[in-house]
Amino acid sequence: MSYFIDTHCHLDHQNYQDDLTGVIARAYAKGVQKIIIPAADPHDLPKAIDIAQTYPFIYFAVGCHPYDIEAFDLLMLQKALSHTQCVGVGECGLDYYRLPIESKREAYKKAQKEAFIAQIELALKFDKPLIVHIREASGDAFEILSSYKGLRGVLHCFNADSILLGLSDRFYYGIGGVATFKNAKKIIEILPKIPKNRLLLETDAPYLTPHPHRGERNEPMHIPLIAQKLSEVLDMGIDEISQITTQNACELFGWH
């Protein structure tokens, strides 16, 4: 059996509250050896920590999604970073997909940038990788990330914008269920341009369920479907995809 690491899975989501044990068991049966819960909403951080403390192969990161910056609490995040199961900062970043009316737009972007930069500085201070969310904001995100030379991390749910390939000296690229969608032309075209030693697998579960399960709740057990798609596009064996992406995840998140 091939083995995998799901580098981005929201096990702390309410959609799993009734059958979390089963979700984790199904993932493990499919060869998922490690899972990272990226804290997106600070309100859910205690739940993420509790899950990681219960299952030794599950880890978490501390952060605040750009949609949740009203709950941003730097001191709370900083305190959680000392936990032995904490492997990163995020998910954090910029998301301009749902912009407010024009008169409030610049203030909205400014607030997102300030929270993003605060979390970047936190990652640098604690020498942790950054888990980055970018949607409709590649230019601003690239400019900010490029200005911090010691920064490293992963571009979660890589949006296939070629400008972001300019970060491949320090950043990895999270590939998820979107790559299996029938309209995934953009990500399929750019996949061969990503250095192999920068590829990571992720589900972003319960979101972005891969084909042929679209419309269902996503689970980390679907990681092999994403790996299979990479295998087809990159003309590599599934075992090689497993080995490369697992090694990449271990290098980024400090598992040796």
Side-chain angles (χ1 to χ4, degrees):
M1 178 188 289
S2 298
Y3 294 99
F4 308 97
I5 295 177
D6 187 347
T7 60
H8 200 107
C9 178
H10 298 281
L11 290 177
D12 56 343
H13 196 281
Q14 61 182 4
N15 283 13
Y16 296 127
Q17 64 184 5
D18 294 330
D19 64 340
L20 180 62
T21 301
V23 169
I24 293 171
R26 287 190 289 273
Y28 198 75
K30 288 289 187 177
V32 181
Q33 288 191 319
K34 288 182 173 65
I35 299 172
I36 298 175
I37 304 172
D41 183 345
H43 293 114
D44 293 331
L45 181 56
K47 189 187 300 184
I49 294 173
D50 182 62
I51 294 169
Q53 289 178 160
T54 303
Y55 300 91
F57 56 93
I58 296 178
Y59 301 80
F60 70 94
V62 299
C64 188
H65 188 284
Y67 284 170
D68 297 306
I69 57 173
E70 288 185 359
F72 180 57
D73 185 335
L74 189 61
L75 289 177
M76 183 179 74
L77 300 186
Q78 186 166 318
K79 182 179 179 181
L81 273 165
S82 62
H83 196 289
T84 55
Q85 295 291 98
C86 182
V87 295
V89 174
E91 97 186 69
C92 58
L94 302 177
D95 193 318
Y96 299 165
Y97 180 67
R98 297 173 185 159
L99 290 173
I101 59 173
E102 192 167 350
S103 62
K104 297 183 179 180
R105 199 161 291 175
E106 288 309 310
Y108 177 83
K109 290 182 177 181
K110 183 174 182 288
Q112 283 199 10
K113 289 176 183 177
E114 288 174 350
F116 185 29
I117 289 170
Q119 290 173 90
I120 288 173
E121 292 175 348
L122 197 62
L124 289 169
K125 179 180 178 180
F126 284 83
D127 191 26
K128 298 282 190 183
L130 194 72
I131 299 173
V132 185
H133 171 106
I134 303 171
R135 190 176 189 188
E136 305 291 339
S138 294
D140 283 355
F142 178 80
E143 182 179 349
I144 290 171
L145 293 171
S146 298
S147 66
Y148 291 90
K149 299 305 179 186
L151 193 63
R152 59 197 171 90
V154 53
L155 304 182
H156 148 63
C157 194
F158 177 47
N159 63 16
D161 281 351
S162 58
I163 187 176
L164 298 175
L165 291 178
L167 298 169
S168 64
D169 60 328
R170 295 173 290 119
F171 277 82
Y172 293 72
Y173 299 81
I175 309 300
V178 172
T180 71
F181 295 176
K182 292 180 180 179
N183 62 348
K185 182 179 179 182
K186 194 176 177 185
I187 187 68
I188 295 303
E189 287 179 348
I190 207 168
L191 264 174
K193 300 177 183 178
I194 301 173
K196 303 296 186 296
N197 66 343
R198 295 298 180 187
L199 288 169
L200 296 179
L201 297 176
E202 61 171 60
T203 58
D204 199 20
Y207 313 107
L208 301 178
T209 312
H211 177 80
H213 298 284
R214 291 194 71 180
E216 303 172 17
R217 180 190 68 175
N218 199 5
E219 294 189 19
M221 70 172 178
H222 292 319
I223 274 283
L225 295 174
I226 301 164
Q228 179 60 43
K229 188 63 179 184
L230 264 65
S231 173
E232 296 167 5
V233 174
L234 301 176
D235 194 23
M236 298 166 62
I238 191 76
D239 287 341
E240 191 175 3
I241 294 293
S242 164
Q243 181 180 0
I244 288 173
T245 55
T246 297
Q247 180 178 332
N248 292 346
C250 289
E251 288 179 356
L252 178 61
F253 292 105
W255 296 310
H256 302 291

